[in-house]
């Protein structure tokens, strides 16, 4: 009997971000993507969120490599953390590896992974895994769907994709190859991108954005134009540069990641901007406003980004004013709306013309319902598991699959941590592994749920620290009580409250001794309860209370 194939989801099913899965055959593991997620506003002080690596750590010697589908951070951004502990080769397109190696290089970990480029359509064996890399269109060039030819039949993973029939670089999603996989042996299991599964219709072609940009450049002749988009969106940058060239403007980049990615993509021939078209951001002062186009980072309103600095008049390079038109060629990712709004406000306040949320100024990189249905129809998979999305996206995608004729019992909605087993008998659930959020603050991922809860209380309610020294034999207070607070009341203006709180602490200590509670721990408990009650009665607030009772 052919061996079973295991699939374990470590991230990306139930959230947009930190995509990571494992395939297992004959005891060996192939990683499929290793991404990060950007934190929500309530994850205070958290820089980013990773998959839980416990399962990978425990099975380190079984990992034969990692396939990366494309260069977005939600697919490659976790590698620079995982490679601190483990070492394995990474397979992907040349551009994907170039983008991934930015962070890996910054972390000084390039010697811990061999980067192995694979070409469009290439088929390659990695341990027991027979992988085929199929071109797809997406909002970063050179992405792949991956077909795994396994002892249990073909497993097709769509990667992030859309069906752009007029892509900027002419590199189409290879539907013909997917069709031949389906007709030649069939697709046993399809795993497909669900990001836009609740959006009706068909995504716009990236090329349509180029026409809108051209019109905007036309309408803004004589004015300086600043355009912002994702730094990895090489095709968007190409179209901005093309529009600039059409009106004979020079192009300057601003923002470190924009500069790096433009250089990388030009080196690889993925981005075509001639040398004479480019100008250094330090030299833009010499140009007339109408002769310049600046391509900037910061399309998501990231507080320290080039665009945010411009909006706050803190940019070293550009002073924004009434002669500027700023175009946001992007759409805020849910959660970033208020940051983007603040940046737009800043730019408008400086007198700039700001173009945002205009029809056609951005096109999504993810397939909408009609495209998802087209892929489902082409594949006609025996089994289907929606991936890459929040729960409602996965559910919407599952409905599409059943509407397209996959029988409902062969559509499995999975979540992070779920394990599946594909055998001769079909696809079944096979338990779960740890897949919680790994919160990273600084460079270490040791911020647990407890730390985060403390930060939330501190941020919302503040802290009250009570320091008192007690003679544990007599019950006499030797020093204090001293009450220190941040965020409960403003201490210099709240003497009365602080005095009353101190009085409650004295009472609590007296009472504790009256009940023979003379050890430090129970004294602390009494003090915490008394102060907590007083704070609640007097202000209806619930700050963190930290009692520090010391023995004289
Ligand atoms: Zn993604
Ligand atoms: Zn992507």
């Amino acid at each position: 009997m052919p061996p079973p194939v295991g699939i374990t989801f470590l991230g990306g099913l139930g959230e947009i971000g930190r995509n990571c899965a494992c395939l297992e055959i004959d005891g060996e593991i192939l990683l499929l993507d290793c991404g990060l997620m950007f934190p929500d506003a309530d994850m205070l002080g958290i820089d980013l969120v990773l998959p839980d690596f416990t399962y990978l750590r425990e099975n380190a010697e079984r990992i034969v490599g990692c396939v990366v589908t494309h260069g977005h951070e939600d697919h490659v951004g976790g590698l620079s953390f995982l490679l601190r502990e483990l070492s394995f080769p990474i397979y992907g397109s040349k551009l994907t590896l170039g983008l991934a190696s930015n962070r890996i290089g910054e972390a000084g970990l390039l010697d811990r992974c061999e980067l192995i480029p694979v070409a469009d359509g290439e088929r390659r064996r990695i341990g027991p895994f027979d992988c085929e890399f199929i071109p797809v269109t997406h909002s970063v060039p050179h992405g792949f769907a991956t077909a795994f030819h396994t002892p249990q039949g073909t497993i097709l993973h769509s990667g992030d994709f859309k069906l752009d029939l007029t892509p900027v670089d002419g590199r189409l999603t290879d539907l013909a190859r997917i069709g031949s996989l389906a007709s030649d042996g069939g697709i046993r299991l399809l795993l497909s991108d669900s990001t836009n599964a609740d959006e009706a219709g068909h995504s716009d072609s990236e090329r349509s954005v180029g026409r809108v940009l051209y019109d905007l450049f036309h309408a803004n002749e004589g004015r300086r134009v600043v355009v912002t988009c994702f730094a990895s969106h090489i095709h968007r940058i190409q179209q901005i540069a093309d529009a600039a060239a059409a009106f004979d403007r020079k192009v300057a980049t601003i923002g470190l990641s924009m500069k790096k990615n433009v250089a990388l993509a030009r080196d690889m021939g993925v981005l075509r901007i001639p040398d004479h078209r480019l100008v250094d951001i330090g030299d833009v002062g010499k140009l007339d406003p109408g002769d310049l186009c600046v391509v900037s980072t910061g399309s998501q309103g990231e507080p320290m980004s080039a665009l945010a600095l411009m909006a706050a008049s803190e940019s070293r390079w550009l002073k924004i004013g009434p002669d500027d038109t700023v175009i946001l060629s992007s759409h805020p990712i849910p959660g970033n709306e208020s940051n983007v709004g603040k940046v737009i406000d800043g730019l408008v306040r400086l007198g700039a013309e700001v173009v945002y949320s205009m029809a056609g100024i951005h096109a999504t990189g993810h397939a909408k319902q009609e495209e998802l249905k087209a892929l489902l129809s082409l594949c006609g998979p025996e089994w289907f598991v929606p991936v890459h999305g929040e729960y409602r996206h996965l559910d919407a995608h599952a409905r599409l699959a059943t509407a397209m004729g996959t029988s409902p019992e062969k559509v499995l909605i999975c979540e992070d941590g779920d394990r599946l087993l594909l055998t001769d008998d079909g696809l079944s659930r096979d338990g779960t592994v740890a897949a919680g959020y790994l919160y990273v603050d600084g460079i270490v991922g040791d911020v647990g749920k407890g730390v985060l809860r403390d930060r939330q209380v501190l941020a919302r309610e503040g802290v009250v620290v009570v320091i008192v020294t007690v003679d544990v034999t007599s019950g006499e207070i030797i020093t204090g009580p001293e009450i220190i607070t941040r965020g409960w009341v403003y201490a210099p203006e709240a003497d009365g409250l602080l005095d009353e709180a101190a009085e409650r602490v004295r009472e609590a200590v007296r009472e504790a001794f009256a009940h023979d509670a003379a050890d430090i721990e129970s004294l602390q408990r009494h003090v915490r309860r008394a102060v907590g009650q007083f704070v609640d009665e007097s202000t209806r607030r619930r700050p963190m209370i930290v009692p520090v009772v010391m023995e004289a």
Side-chain angles (χ1 to χ4, degrees):
M1 227 166 57
V5 180
I7 302 152
T8 306
F9 299 107
L10 295 178
L13 280 72
E15 69 256 314
I16 303 279
R18 58 170 212 149
N19 293 285
C20 186
C22 302
L23 251 71
E24 293 181 47
I25 299 176
D26 287 336
E28 306 211 60
I29 296 177
L30 180 67
L31 263 173
L32 182 56
D33 286 332
C34 182
L36 58 73
M37 182 170 83
F38 293 102
D40 292 343
D42 62 347
M43 298 177 189
L44 299 161
I46 300 301
D47 300 327
L48 47 94
V49 185
L50 297 173
D52 187 324
F53 292 140
T54 309
Y55 182 72
L56 301 179
R57 203 177 290 126
E58 285 170 353
N59 295 285
E61 70 292 344
R62 295 167 49 202
I63 299 173
V64 296
C66 177
V67 165
V68 283
T69 57
H70 65 286
H72 279 152
E73 294 278 33
D74 61 322
H75 296 259
V76 300
L79 287 166
S80 55
F81 292 87
L82 186 57
L83 287 168
R84 278 168 218 263
E85 303 178 55
L86 310 180
S87 171
F88 47 81
I90 302 172
Y91 302 80
S93 70
K94 242 172 102 184
L95 180 70
T96 301
L97 295 177
L99 291 167
S101 64
N102 276 345
R103 259 180 199 266
I104 300 173
E106 280 163 22
L109 296 169
L110 282 171
D111 59 337
R112 298 184 61 83
C113 56
E114 193 188 346
L115 300 174
I116 302 171
V118 290
D120 286 3
E122 187 174 334
R123 189 162 167 176
R124 175 184 276 267
R125 187 164 270 279
I126 306 168
F129 304 92
D130 179 357
C131 314
E132 181 176 342
F133 302 93
I134 301 170
V136 289
T137 46
H138 184 43
S139 42
V140 61
H142 295 189
F144 286 136
T146 320
F148 300 96
H149 302 276
T150 81
Q152 291 294 339
T154 302
I155 299 176
L156 182 70
H157 179 269
S158 72
D160 288 11
F161 82 104
K162 67 193 275 189
L163 300 181
D164 190 339
L165 300 177
T166 54
V168 170
D169 59 359
R171 179 183 175 274
L172 289 153
T173 300
D174 193 349
L175 293 172
R177 179 58 189 149
I178 294 173
S180 72
L181 286 173
S183 58
D184 175 19
I187 289 173
R188 188 92 197 282
L189 167 63
L190 173 66
L191 307 159
S192 177
D193 175 3
S194 310
T195 313
N196 277 336
D198 57 355
E199 296 273 339
H202 197 291
S203 69
D204 291 334
S205 171
E206 176 59 28
R207 201 179 284 272
S208 67
V209 178
R211 288 192 285 275
V212 175
L213 286 167
Y214 181 92
D215 290 346
L216 278 169
F217 274 70
H218 190 246
N220 283 279
E221 278 189 273
R223 295 168 61 78
R224 191 164 60 177
V225 173
V226 178
V227 193
T228 173
C229 68
F230 274 120
S232 60
H233 205 325
I234 306 301
H235 289 153
R236 188 66 51 81
I237 299 167
Q238 180 72 63
Q239 300 199 96
I240 296 165
D242 290 349
F247 293 94
D248 202 22
R249 290 176 185 256
K250 298 268 189 205
V251 175
T253 62
I254 185 166
L256 188 62
S257 57
M258 189 62 77
K259 188 177 175 166
K260 266 190 176 176
N261 288 356
V262 164
L264 176 77
R266 286 182 76 225
D267 272 355
M268 291 188 175
V270 184
L271 180 65
R272 293 172 314 277
I273 310 177
D275 284 338
H276 70 85
R277 183 63 53 201
L278 284 170
V279 59
D280 192 85
I281 190 70
D283 296 330
V284 298
K286 299 173 196 154
L287 291 170
D288 284 337
D291 293 338
L292 178 65
C293 163
V294 177
V295 189
S296 172
T297 56
S299 63
Q300 295 301 314
E302 304 93 322
M304 291 312 289
S305 66
L307 192 69
L309 293 175
M310 284 181 234
S313 299
E314 283 168 12
S315 172
R316 264 176 77 189
W317 310 111
L318 282 189
K319 234 182 156 38
I320 296 294
D323 291 333
D324 291 303
T325 296
V326 182
I327 300 167
L328 279 74
S329 187
S330 56
H331 186 76
I333 293 170
N336 293 343
E337 294 91 344
S338 88
N339 278 344
V340 173
K342 275 181 206 150
V343 168
I344 295 171
D345 280 345
L347 295 166
V348 171
R349 196 169 278 128
L350 293 169
E353 201 64 56
V354 184
V355 181
Y356 61 95
S357 67
M358 186 182 122
I361 195 62
H362 177 64
T364 178
H366 296 275
K368 295 188 179 178
Q369 287 178 351
E370 293 308 313
E371 296 152 272
L372 297 174
K373 288 197 279 192
L375 185 71
L376 281 159
S377 153
L378 188 60
C379 291
E382 184 185 344
W383 294 86
F384 177 66
V385 176
V387 297
H388 202 286
E390 297 185 8
Y391 195 82
R392 64 184 180 284
H393 305 131
L394 305 177
D395 181 71
H397 205 176
R399 284 162 197 264
L400 286 180
T402 50
M404 295 298 296
T406 312
S407 76
E409 61 273 17
K410 295 199 166 176
V411 176
L412 266 56
I413 297 184
C414 296
E415 293 189 81
D416 295 343
D418 285 354
R419 288 171 61 89
L420 297 175
L421 206 59
L422 187 59
T423 67
D424 288 356
D425 296 332
L427 186 67
S428 57
R429 295 185 187 267
D430 186 33
T432 57
V433 302
Y437 284 1
L438 181 63
Y439 298 104
V440 178
D441 179 6
I443 56 166
V444 277
D446 63 348
V447 182
K449 279 213 175 81
V451 171
L452 212 54
R453 237 182 348 255
D454 285 353
R455 287 185 184 183
Q456 285 162 354
V457 173
L458 289 169
R460 285 190 202 117
E461 306 279 350
V463 59
V464 177
V465 182
V466 183
I467 304 165
V468 59
T469 312
V470 181
D471 180 335
V472 284
T473 49
S474 66
E476 196 187 335
I477 291 177
I478 310 297
T479 60
E482 192 184 346
I483 313 262
I484 302 164
T485 177
R486 296 288 184 274
W488 168 44
V489 292
Y490 186 54
E493 293 164 5
D495 279 351
L497 272 177
L498 297 183
D499 288 348
E500 277 182 69
E503 186 48 41
R504 292 293 187 94
V505 173
R506 282 185 208 103
E507 273 170 34
V509 171
R510 270 199 298 277
E511 246 171 65
F513 269 90
H515 292 90
D516 302 320
D519 64 288
I520 294 291
E521 260 178 46
S522 56
L523 278 170
Q524 280 179 341
R525 226 170 18 247
H526 276 79
V527 168
R528 178 189 285 118
R529 194 181 311 134
V531 175
Q533 264 171 16
F534 172 72
V535 167
D536 182 37
E537 281 162 23
S538 57
T539 58
R540 287 280 179 278
R541 292 177 193 166
R542 303 192 142 271
M544 181 183 292
I545 313 276
V546 183
V548 183
V549 179
M550 289 177 292
E551 208 175 323

